[in-house]
Amino acid sequence: MENTLLVAVELPGEDIETSLDELNELVKAAGGKVVASVVQKRDKIDAKFFIGSGKVEEIKDISKKTDIDLIVFNNELSPAQLRNLEEAIEIKIIDRTMLILDIFSKRAVTKEGKLQVELAQLKYILPRLTGMRDYLSREGGGIGTRGPGEQKLEIDRRHIQKKINTIEIKLKQIEKEREIKRNKRNSSNLPVVALVGYTNSGKSTILNNIIRKHSSKDKSVYAKDMLFATLDTAHRKARLENGDEVIFVDTVGFVSNLPTKLVEAFKSTLEEIKYADLLVHVIDISNKNIDLQIKTTMDIIKDLGANQIPIINVFNKTDKVSNNDILVNLENIGEKIYISALDDKDISYLLNVITERLKDIKSI
Ligand SMILES: Nc1nc2c(ncn2[C@@H]2O[C@H](COP(=O)(O)OP(=O)(O)OP(=O)(O)O)[C@@H](O)[C@H]2O)c(=O)[nH]1
Ligand SMILES: [Mg+2]
């Protein structure tokens, strides 16, 4: 397990604690252990080192005294910043983007998922090779050095470019297959309900509890208490109380500052959301960063062009909070309901709300 030092800059008006909490979770998800963190208050970031040069010295000091294997910056570093920091500190340094890419590469299961992650990683590495080459080539390099399936990431510039091209061609082909499948689903005319929301909010658990009682043959999806348990979209058919059939789509969870390269690479997967008739936005009511999580999800839905689709906001995990905490006052969020995915009655209630909404949608 890599001993990790977190580094963040607190700009005016920023809530750094929330964001560091999340970075901590991300490091854990990647298999590392946070041993210390350094926060610097600044008015703006430093072009050369991201942090001030005094802080660079301080970090050098800490890493000499403490057993640190890895330094993780809370924001995306420019290629020059990464290179300068690597030269000055001489410890493996990665940023939030690389960390998230690393977690995704560990979680990717399907051929498409693996290709999408590798594409994002290679595109990220290419302009940063000089700063990263050293630790990328190290044996057993750990967090930030692995591609999907634990394979070593390519470090030869020409090979990387070639690989990017090959992967893009392969992904286009898979996208076509995805489109054919989607058209087939559309022609069946069944309504499509997509579960969307922040990572770990309970989307897959809700889907599993729906299909357990409302589907004769469909198999369960992977649900677990970790960030990004789901990477690939899954479709499952279920029968509502009134006999109607519905297709549920389970999707990859979101995180704040999701790297743009990753969003680009996962575009075709994420776009499945756009083809839904109804969105079920799952929110973890027990999470203390609930505001950030709701905002992040709403922003991504908007970016994907899916904000015209009717949405039900489902505050999940009510069993983990007391009644007082449930009185969150969120304006402009639209229809909301409160459930615990672990409670069968609540799942039936959710299905009833979905049934009603689908009736409205059909009648428009
Ligand atoms: N106590 C409690 N735990 C829940 C509830 N719903 C989900 N969980 C737990 O929360 C964790 C995450 O659940 P998932 O269903 O994997 O979450 P997800 O939204 O699919 O997460 P990603 O796939 O990472 O986006 C699991 O450990 C679930 O058992 C709930 O209503 N109450
Ligand atoms: Mg999931």
Side-chain angles (χ1 to χ4, degrees), residues 320-331:
K320 286 178 82 177
V321 297
S322 71
N323 263 338
N324 294 339
D325 296 333
I326 295 183
L327 295 171
V328 272
N329 190 13
L330 293 147
E331 43 194 311

Side-chain angles (χ1 to χ4, degrees), residues 199-205 223-225 228-230 253 316-317 319 341:
T199 177
N200 211 42
S201 59
K203 301 175 291 299
S204 302
T205 306
K224 202 170 181 240
D225 188 12
F228 306 118
T230 304
N316 186 36
K317 308 196 187 181
D319 59 289

Side-chain angles (χ1 to χ4, degrees), residues 69 119 128 131:
D69 312 297
L119 181 63
R128 293 174 175 81

